[in-house]
């Protein structure tokens, strides 16, 4: 099994945790402020991850700290935009617009390399976006301030994924993953004191929500993302992350007792099909490499 295949499998595992985050968020928002939840989840994740992976933190440089601060600010922006965006628009519109990350990533990559993406990637993106639309859009589409915030979420997340792929090529991915959580938590804590009345969880459900968000969705999720992105491309990362609405829907059925309709099942199948189409790029690349190696010099 290649490193890229293992990285892609790790990304799918991360998406499982992030699919659970919607359940945890609903549990937490009933008693805590938005910035407070973001601060707690990030700072708890930072402390836990730093405790288990303290050795990479001994070798950090100024460049690593700067890169982590940039990623942390983008991560804080993602959490902030999506929290307030969902409160101002429908859940279906929000799910579709946040998933525009899969479109923004190859567009950003095209701007950077000044080159169009290979046809499997382009077709995979179009198919995946179609599946996300079938999966999440349930009513007529109307643009409002919440929709714009969700588009901002997708753009910030696309930039975050792209920069993570760049930074981890030359720096320790574990140190980056840990420090970005610390910076995101500090940004959120500052906003919590500025705009809210920060407090610690007082109920069992709120503690479950914060620990689930902090340990599973943040500590494990973002460190695994940083490690995996060392061995796979940002475009493939974005396409795999497009499965998040599928896992979110499954956990909503299991824990929130929501219905999973035939329409949502069809959307899930289309999303997975788009991801598999995009993986043809790897297969074709390996075939070309083998052909070149086998051909006479």
């Amino acid at each position: 099994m290649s490193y890229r295949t293992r990285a892609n499998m790790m990304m799918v595992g991360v998406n499982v945790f992030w699919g659970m985050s919607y359940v945890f968020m609903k549990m937490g928002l009933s008693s805590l402020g938005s910035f407070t939840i973001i601060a707690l989840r990030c700072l708890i994740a930072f402390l836990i991850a730093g405790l288990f992976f303290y050795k990479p933190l001994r070798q950090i440089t100024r460049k690593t700290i700067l890169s982590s601060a940039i990623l942390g600010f983008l991560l804080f922006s993602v959490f902030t935009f999506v929290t307030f965006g969902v409160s101002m628009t429908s859940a279906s519109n929000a799910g579709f617009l946040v998933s525009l990350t899969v479109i923004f990533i190859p567009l950003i990559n095209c701007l950077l390399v000044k080159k169009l993406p290979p046809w499997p990637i382009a077709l995979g993106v179009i198919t995946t976006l179609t599946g996300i639309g079938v999966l999440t859009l349930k009513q007529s589409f109307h643009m409002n301030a919440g929709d714009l915030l969700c588009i901002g979420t997708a753009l910030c997340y696309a930039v975050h994924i792209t920069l993570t792929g760049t930074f981890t090529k030359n720096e320790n991915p574990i140190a980056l993953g840990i420090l970005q959580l610390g910076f995101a938590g500090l940004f959120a804590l500052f906003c919590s004191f500025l705009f809210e009345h920060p407090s610690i969880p007082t109920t069992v459900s709120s503690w479950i929500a914060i620990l689930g968000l902090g340990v599973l969705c943040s500590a494990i999720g973002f460190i695994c993302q940083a490690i995996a992105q060392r061995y796979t491309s940002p475009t493939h990362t974005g396409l795999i992350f497009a499965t998040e609405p599928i896992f979110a829907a499954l956990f909503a059925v299991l824990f929130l007792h929501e219905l999973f309709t035939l329409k949502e099942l069809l959307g899930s199948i289309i999303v997975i099909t788009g991801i598999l189409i995009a993986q043809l790029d790897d297969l074709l690349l390996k075939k070309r490499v083998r052909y070149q190696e086998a051909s006479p010099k």
Side-chain angles (χ1 to χ4, degrees), residues 225-271:
Q225 176 195 345
I227 295 173
Q229 278 201 244
R230 199 169 192 172
Y231 304 103
T232 190
S233 68
T235 300
H236 280 121
T237 300
L239 286 166
I240 293 174
F241 282 173
T243 61
E244 183 179 328
I246 299 174
F247 293 116
L250 291 175
F251 287 117
V253 171
L254 292 175
F255 298 106
L256 301 179
H257 307 294
E258 295 182 2
L259 296 177
F260 195 70
T261 64
L262 181 61
K263 176 175 172 289
E264 290 167 331
L265 177 61
L266 177 61
S268 302
I269 293 173
I270 296 174
V271 167

Side-chain angles (χ1 to χ4, degrees), residues 62-83:
R62 290 183 179 180
K63 185 179 179 182
T64 303
I65 294 175
L66 178 59
S67 299
S68 300
I70 294 172
L71 294 178
F73 179 76
L74 288 169
L75 195 59
F76 163 72
S77 300
V78 167
F79 289 147
T80 301
F81 285 164
V82 73
T83 300

Side-chain angles (χ1 to χ4, degrees), residues 48-126:
I48 292 176
L51 180 64
F52 283 94
F53 300 99
Y54 63 89
K55 290 184 178 180
L57 296 179
R58 293 178 176 178
Q59 303 173 352
I60 60 175
T61 63
R62 290 183 179 180
K63 185 179 179 182
T64 303
I65 294 175
L66 178 59
S67 299
S68 300
I70 294 172
L71 294 178
F73 179 76
L74 288 169
L75 195 59
F76 163 72
S77 300
V78 167
F79 289 147
T80 301
F81 285 164
V82 73
T83 300
F84 288 98
V86 168
S87 67
M88 300 168 64
T89 187
S90 67
S92 57
N93 280 7
F96 177 74
L97 291 171
V98 170
S99 297
L100 286 175
T101 298
V102 302
I103 296 299
F104 286 139
I105 289 176
L107 290 179
I108 292 173
N109 188 58
C110 288
L111 291 175
L112 292 176
V113 302
K114 298 179 181 179
K115 181 180 178 181
L116 293 175
W119 71 264
I121 296 293
L123 182 58
V125 166
I126 294 172

